[in-house]
Amino acid sequence: MELKTVQTQKIYKNIVEQIVDLIHDGSLKCGDRLPPERTLAELLNVSRTSVREALKVMEIMGILEIKPGEGSVVSDFNVKPFLSMVWPAILADKNTEKDLLEFRKILEEGSIRHLALRGESEEFFKSLKDIVDNMEEVIDDAEKSVKLDIQFHRCLFELTGNNVLMQVQNFVEYILERTVSHNRTAALEKKDSGEAIFKQHKDIYEALVVGDSLLAVKRMSYHLDYVQSIS
Amino acid sequence: MELKTVQTQKIYKNIVEQIVDLIHDGSLKCGDRLPPERTLAELLNVSRTSVREALKVMEIMGILEIKPGEGSVVSDFNVKPFLSMVWPAILADKNTEKDLLEFRKILEEGSIRHLALRGESEEFFKSLKDIVDNMEEVIDDAEKSVKLDIQFHRCLFELTGNNVLMQVQNFVEYILERTVSHNRTAALEKKDSGEAIFKQHKDIYEALVVGDSLLAVKRMSYHLDYVQSIS
DNA sequence: TGTGAAAATTGGTCAAAACAATGAATAGTT
DNA sequence: AACTATTCATTGTTTTGACCAATTTTCACA
């Protein structure tokens, strides 16, 4: 005898599913306003409480923004609301910081490896080249350098065109910003690190442009280790 | 004049923070049961509604399990509850499947690269060797082979000892299971793929044991492409 | 026409009650 | 005594209705 367990779906989950489906098939687009809670409750023939639970969950999921007095608006999927509540919980031990740094390294190395392997044209990497060129100009301005540094890495992920990768990257950077106990700007100001870091980015870019994946990964790995060592 | 906006903290967020803090500092351990909603409401001097909102949010966050008639139990941090609701939303297009597969590839390649670079002893990889040995024995049993295949890759992530990596890996596998439109067992049954896949795992293991990171990554990459091609 | 007060709209919180699922205590049967 | 079915207490789920707070809209008045 083989029977599946009958699971009574909770109401709020049902509501979430319905609304997510509407977003999925395009009936609800980003920026659209949902009907007021009271109306939704009537339409769905459930209590306002259940509707509110569903909306709250979707808010945490990062696909809805709820504003008192205004209403609920569909927003771009964004993991930040979720993370902002969850990160104290997942960062219970100091060990996680080490893991996160290694994880980021894997992401960055993997991204650049896959990018290099694609053998794209020099034109394709123009946005990256612009950033590197700008870096050279502001080489002594720690603050601007840090901004370009961040841009460089973000640009890499964007060039992969992989949305999952970008979401996870955002996720990691978001947490690292709030946990890693160091100041990037301060690190860039001391020694001649500004010069060194500029050269590292330039090297990475050049290996990438010629499609040398091994070299690109090696240089990215070196760069990340260097940044970490001076922070 | 510099003033911060006075933001009236929503009650449920306050509750979540308090409980997360209790988990964080060890007052609440995994497996502990929270007081009933009615008691919590009384202790916090708020309504049950607010308490329920907080608990619901923590359930979605994956740090609490709520069971009717039983109570709320603190659980290990787990992204599945969140994902199970979010994945239809973030998997809006077919493109995401491609992205996920590439993302997994980056994770697997990165893990094995970092593992190989550590230069661990052969003893360290014993659990992996056992799996490979078992694979050889059941080479014609597609179902068992698939199970060992999964074990092999999971074992790799465990050997890294990186919890973040493992969480994300679980995350990816969880979604892929529910989306990628193919049957792994069926794929293993046709042709002589069983033999081929066994050899690929063996090759990966051997490159790993001798600490040849480049070769290990190359073989892993090849293996993942192969599996995908026959699926 | 412009301004400010009042009203309507909408989300946030509270309270009380009935419902449903679970587990423990209890009574009944063998 | 051991097993089974019932009953009851506990606890999460849902509903209803009310009131508060923030925001927007309406509209009367200057």
Side-chain angles (χ1 to χ4, degrees):
Chain A
M1 195 169 62
E2 197 167 330
L3 297 173
K4 286 185 184 176
T5 59
V6 177
Q7 45 188 347
T8 56
Q9 165 115 303
K10 287 178 195 166
I11 289 183
Y12 83 91
K13 285 196 179 182
N14 184 305
I15 300 176
V16 170
E17 270 177 25
Q18 286 198 53
I19 297 184
V20 164
D21 280 346
L22 288 179
I23 297 175
H24 195 185
D25 68 23
S27 308
L28 275 175
K29 282 184 289 290
C30 175
D32 288 353
R33 236 186 66 189
L34 254 53
E37 294 175 352
R38 294 165 175 85
T39 308
L40 273 178
E42 207 172 344
L43 289 173
L44 293 161
N45 196 31
V46 295
S47 72
R48 215 184 127 200
T49 315
S50 298
V51 172
R52 281 183 54 74
E53 282 188 351
L55 297 186
K56 184 126 302 178
V57 165
M58 287 191 284
E59 188 187 24
I60 299 298
M61 282 165 47
I63 58 179
L64 208 62
E65 272 183 53
I66 305 178
K67 293 173 193 168
E70 293 184 56
S72 307
V73 178
V74 179
S75 72
D76 261 331
F77 174 63
N78 190 332
V79 287
K80 282 191 177 58
F82 172 71
L83 287 176
S84 68
M85 309 206 71
V86 121
W87 77 262
I90 62 178
L91 291 181
D93 49 22
K94 194 70 180 173
N95 224 19
T96 307
E97 186 176 313
K98 181 175 65 61
D99 287 353
L100 265 175
L101 288 169
E102 184 184 39
F103 183 72
R104 173 172 60 175
K105 223 176 152 214
I106 288 178
L107 289 185
E108 300 259 9
E109 291 166 357
S111 299
I112 207 160
R113 178 167 180 273
H114 280 233
L115 262 179
L117 286 173
R118 285 192 202 163
E120 298 280 1
S121 70
E122 195 169 332
E123 179 60 26
F124 180 80
F125 295 111
K126 187 173 180 308
S127 52
L128 209 57
K129 179 163 173 39
D130 289 344
I131 295 175
V132 174
D133 287 344
N134 280 337
M135 276 181 167
E136 189 163 20
E137 287 170 20
V138 300
I139 204 161
D140 291 322
D141 186 332
E143 200 167 328
K144 285 185 185 169
S145 291
V146 167
K147 274 188 186 163
L148 285 171
D149 190 345
I150 294 172
Q151 265 185 48
F152 181 90
H153 291 276
R154 186 179 304 275
C155 183
L156 271 180
F157 284 97
E158 274 169 16
L159 285 175
T160 67
N162 189 321
N163 272 313
V164 174
L165 203 48
M166 286 171 61
Q167 284 281 347
V168 178
Q169 152 73 357
N170 273 330
F171 168 112
V172 172
E173 290 302 329
Y174 180 83
I175 296 184
L176 281 178
E177 262 174 38
R178 281 160 183 70
T179 55
V180 174
S181 44
H182 74 261
N183 188 312
R184 224 163 163 181
T185 310
L188 256 174
E189 270 169 350
K190 67 185 172 189
K191 295 192 259 178
D192 302 317
S193 55
E195 178 78 27
I197 288 184
F198 157 68
K199 190 167 181 319
Q200 286 163 19
H201 283 108
K202 196 175 165 217
D203 287 347
I204 292 171
Y205 164 76
E206 281 168 359
L208 188 57
V209 153
V210 299
D212 189 334
S213 66
L214 292 183
L215 193 58
V217 169
K218 198 170 171 182
R219 287 175 171 173
M220 173 62 85
S221 175
Y222 177 80
H223 165 60
L224 292 174
D225 285 341
Y226 177 82
V227 170
Q228 204 175 321
S229 73
I230 67 169
S231 297
Chain B
M1 194 168 63
E2 195 166 331
L3 297 174
K4 286 185 183 176
T5 59
V6 177
Q7 43 188 350
T8 55
Q9 164 114 308
K10 285 178 196 167
I11 291 182
Y12 84 92
K13 285 196 178 182
N14 184 306
I15 300 177
V16 169
E17 270 177 24
Q18 285 198 52
I19 297 184
V20 164
D21 279 347
L22 288 178
I23 297 176
H24 198 185
D25 69 22
S27 308
L28 276 174
K29 281 185 291 288
C30 174
D32 288 354
R33 236 187 64 190
L34 255 52
E37 294 176 353
R38 294 164 176 85
T39 309
L40 273 178
E42 207 172 345
L43 289 173
L44 293 161
N45 196 32
V46 295
S47 73
R48 257 188 91 193
T49 313
S50 299
V51 172
R52 282 183 55 72
E53 283 187 351
L55 296 185
K56 184 126 305 177
V57 165
M58 286 191 284
E59 188 187 26
I60 299 299
M61 281 166 46
I63 58 178
L64 208 62
E65 273 182 50
I66 305 179
K67 291 173 194 169
E70 292 184 56
S72 307
V73 178
V74 179
S75 72
D76 262 332
F77 173 63
N78 190 333
V79 286
K80 282 192 178 57
F82 172 71
L83 286 176
S84 67
M85 310 209 69
V86 125
W87 77 262
I90 61 178
L91 290 181
D93 49 25
K94 193 71 179 173
N95 222 21
T96 307
E97 186 176 314
K98 181 175 65 61
D99 288 353
L100 265 176
L101 288 169
E102 183 184 40
F103 182 71
R104 172 171 61 175
K105 223 176 154 216
I106 288 177
L107 289 185
E108 299 259 8
E109 291 166 357
S111 299
I112 207 162
R113 178 166 180 274
H114 280 234
L115 262 179
L117 287 173
R118 285 192 203 164
E120 298 279 1
S121 69
E122 195 170 333
E123 179 61 25
F124 180 80
F125 296 111
K126 187 172 180 309
S127 52
L128 210 57
K129 178 163 175 37
D130 289 345
I131 295 175
V132 174
D133 287 345
N134 281 336
M135 276 180 167
E136 188 162 22
E137 286 170 21
V138 300
I139 205 163
D140 291 322
D141 187 331
E143 200 167 330
K144 285 185 185 169
S145 290
V146 167
K147 273 186 186 165
L148 285 171
D149 190 345
I150 294 172
Q151 264 186 50
F152 181 90
H153 292 275
R154 185 179 306 275
C155 183
L156 272 180
F157 284 97
E158 274 170 15
L159 285 175
T160 67
N162 188 322
N163 273 314
V164 174
L165 202 49
M166 286 171 62
Q167 284 280 349
V168 178
Q169 150 74 356
N170 274 330
F171 164 117
V172 172
E173 289 302 328
Y174 179 82
I175 295 185
L176 280 177
E177 263 174 39
R178 283 160 183 70
T179 54
V180 174
S181 43
H182 73 261
N183 189 311
R184 223 164 166 181
T185 311
L188 256 175
E189 271 169 350
K190 68 185 171 189
K191 297 190 254 175
D192 303 318
S193 56
E195 178 78 27
I197 288 184
F198 158 67
K199 191 167 179 320
Q200 286 163 19
H201 283 108
K202 197 175 164 215
D203 287 346
I204 293 171
Y205 164 75
E206 283 168 357
L208 188 58
V209 153
V210 299
D212 189 334
S213 67
L214 292 183
L215 193 57
V217 170
K218 199 171 171 182
R219 286 175 171 173
M220 175 61 86
S221 176
Y222 178 82
H223 164 60
L224 293 174
D225 286 341
Y226 177 82
V227 170
Q228 205 175 320
S229 72
I230 66 169
S231 296

